[in-house]
Structures are given as C-alpha cells and as structure tokens.
Amino acid sequence: MAAVVLEARGLGRRYGAFAALEGLELQLHAGEVFGLLGPNGAGKSTTLNLFMGFLRPSSGSATILGHDCTREAHEVARVTGHLPEELTLFENLTGRETLSFVLAMRGDTSPARWSAVEASIERLGLGRDLDQLVAGYSMGTRKKLALVLALAHDPQVLLLDEPTNGLDPVVAREVRELLQTRAREGALVVLSTHLLEVAERLCHRLGVLVQGRLRALGTPEEVLRQTGRATLEEAFLALSGTPP
Ligand code: ATP
C-alpha cells in the first residue's frame, strides 16, 4: 500500500449553528486520484480550503505529508499545488510574468523548472496567450494559467476545485491525462467535480459529500455496491436524497 499523504481526523467546520463539514475521516495515498463529489453546497470547497489551511477547522484536524494543515499551512503550501474555485490572478501581468513571479516566489527559476513548466503550457495550449495581459483572458484561458501555476513547482499534492469545468473537451482531456501522469509519478491528486463522467474515468476513489457528511467512500465500483445502484448518476441521486 502506498504511503498516506493526506489524513483528516474528525475534520469539521461550522458557520454558527450550520455545519458545512462534519466529522470527516479520510486517508489518501501517494499515486492516488481522489474525487470529491456532492451537490451544490455539500462542503467540497470547504474541505479543500481546510486542507489548504485557508479555513480554520471548528473540530478535528488534517495533515498533509505530516504537516498540520492549520498550524503549518506554509509548509503545506510548499508541497501542494492548489486550484481555487474562484480564480484570483494578477490582471495587469501577462501569463509569462505571472509564472515568473510565482516561480521566483517559490525560489526556483532554473532552466530545468522553466522547461517543465513549458511542457504543461504546451500541453494545455496556453502558449498563444502567454504574452497577453491576463485582463484580456477568456474564462478557459484563465483556468489554463491557474492550472499551470498549480503544477509549476511539481508539487507532491494537488488540490483542485473543479479542474476541468469551463474547459473545452480537447483541453479537458489534456488536463485529465496530465493529472493521471502526475499521479503515476507518485503525486496525490484530489479534485472536486460535478462531472460524474470525469469522476468515473479519472478517479481511483471517490468520496460523496452530502450536507457536510461523507456518505460514500471507495472506488467507483465500491460506491455503486454501497448504494446498490447500477450507475454513478443513480448512486449520486440516491445519496443526495433525490427521488428517481
Ligand atoms: P458547490 O458545488 O456549489 O461549489 P460546495 O460543495 O463546494 O458547493 P461549499 O462552498 O463548501 O460547498 O459550501 C458548503 C456550505 O457552507 C454551503 O451551504 C455554503 O453556503 C456554506 N458556507 C460557505 N462559506 C460560508 C460562510 N463564510 N458563511 C456561512 N456559510 C458558508
């Protein structure tokens, strides 16, 4: 069994009386692609933001490669690439300037680092827009840049909120393949998605969150068995309490 990279123990987050996430128990491994599924407002982004240390847990804790996600968020950021739900980019820089800035901040602007970054630029078809101002980027191009930024320091862990949402089918396939390659090389890839087809094709294991609670956990086949349904869509509907 591969090493445990990310662990959540009783992780929860409340807003007043409302529990956005409750009692999350999870162990994720090197080389794994893990998909977080769940209806709107189920707690997926909350979970990823807790892992990044952007939110303080109300209960429990999480660790990434042994670093506490709250107390050692800086160390977590060093080993993790993150794609947030809401992309915040420097509007008045070009894509290339943004990448230079982020690589410099991370302390590695070596030719080897740049050639690795150029490979993902090439793969996602960002090259054409790289010297344009971010302010003029389309939604898909912004996402491509944000993905290249998340991958740029070759992190051991990727936490990606809806990585293929808003991308055309060709780029979406490139992203799926890129993430599979990263996982094969030993990275842990955690993504949230509403696209059940992406979940089924890309993820080794899935977690289905409903109203802040993990209702199913396992391989796509195990989730079908746990719910007694024939398709992931039926399983998802059953778990989220939607009548067939
Ligand atoms: P979506 O699929 O729509 O992106 P999600 O599963 O990512 O949803 P979250 O964004 O994690 O869901 O939100 C979980 C719940 O927590 C939602 O009901 C949301 O309204 C609530 N929530 C999030 N942030 C706050 C906040 N700052 N104050 C109060 N409630 C919040």
Side-chain angles (χ1 to χ4, degrees), residues 140-222:
T141 306
R142 297 170 83 87
K143 186 100 172 207
K144 289 183 204 175
L145 176 60
L147 277 163
V148 172
L149 287 167
L151 296 162
H153 56 299
D154 198 14
Q156 287 157 280
V157 180
L158 285 162
L159 300 179
L160 311 171
D161 212 330
E162 307 257 5
T164 57
N165 190 21
L167 297 176
D168 71 52
V170 176
V171 182
R173 191 181 60 188
E174 286 296 338
V175 171
R176 285 200 304 273
E177 288 175 6
L178 221 150
L179 299 181
Q180 275 167 333
T181 305
R182 290 293 169 113
R184 268 197 300 275
E185 289 166 355
L188 163 65
V189 180
V190 184
L191 58 96
S192 75
T193 185
H194 287 295
L195 306 173
L196 299 178
E197 195 199 321
V198 170
E200 202 151 31
R201 280 168 42 185
L202 180 61
C203 300
H204 301 115
R205 286 198 302 157
L206 304 171
V208 186
L209 275 176
V210 181
Q211 294 178 353
R213 284 267 179 196
L214 196 62
R215 304 277 184 198
L217 176 67
T219 63
E221 296 74 26
E222 284 166 350

Side-chain angles (χ1 to χ4, degrees), residues 15 18 20 39-46 85 194:
Y15 292 103
F18 174 75
N40 290 129
K44 303 179 295 297
S45 299
T46 300
E85 187 177 31
H194 287 295

